[in-house]
Amino acid sequence: YFIFLDELGLKYGEAETSCIKARNAYTHGDSGKDDLDTLQKTKTMFILLGRIILKLLGYDGEYIDETIPGFPRKMINEAIN
């Protein structure tokens, strides 16, 4: 994932790194006992996948970061956190 993100030119931070690592745990059978944390990481993964698709389509504008209260607009290359 991280090499792919680097090649796309998408910056990633702690939120993206954490959700990718959590995805690996869930895939291999972790129950995800903390429901709120699981929900936040899932939301982060959806936003990250959206950014990847937009970048592949050549989009270079803003996206809405729904992981932060107030839903701030950020540039597509800007990390989630």
Side-chain angles (χ1 to χ4, degrees), residues 2 13-23 37 41:
F2 302 113
E14 190 174 318
E16 292 92 342
T17 303
S18 178
C19 82
I20 289 170
K21 288 180 181 178
R23 180 224 163 261
D37 185 54
K41 286 185 169 86

Side-chain angles (χ1 to χ4, degrees), residues 14-58:
E14 190 174 318
E16 292 92 342
T17 303
S18 178
C19 82
I20 289 170
K21 288 180 181 178
R23 180 224 163 261
N24 291 336
Y26 301 140
T27 301
H28 296 287
D30 186 5
S31 63
K33 294 176 181 156
D34 185 355
D35 292 337
L36 292 176
D37 185 54
T38 301
L39 182 61
Q40 183 65 27
K41 286 185 169 86
T42 301
K43 202 183 293 186
T44 301
M45 183 58 82
F46 279 128
I47 298 298
L48 178 59
L49 291 174
R51 288 176 60 213
I52 290 169
I53 292 168
L54 288 170
K55 190 69 174 177
L56 288 171
L57 292 172

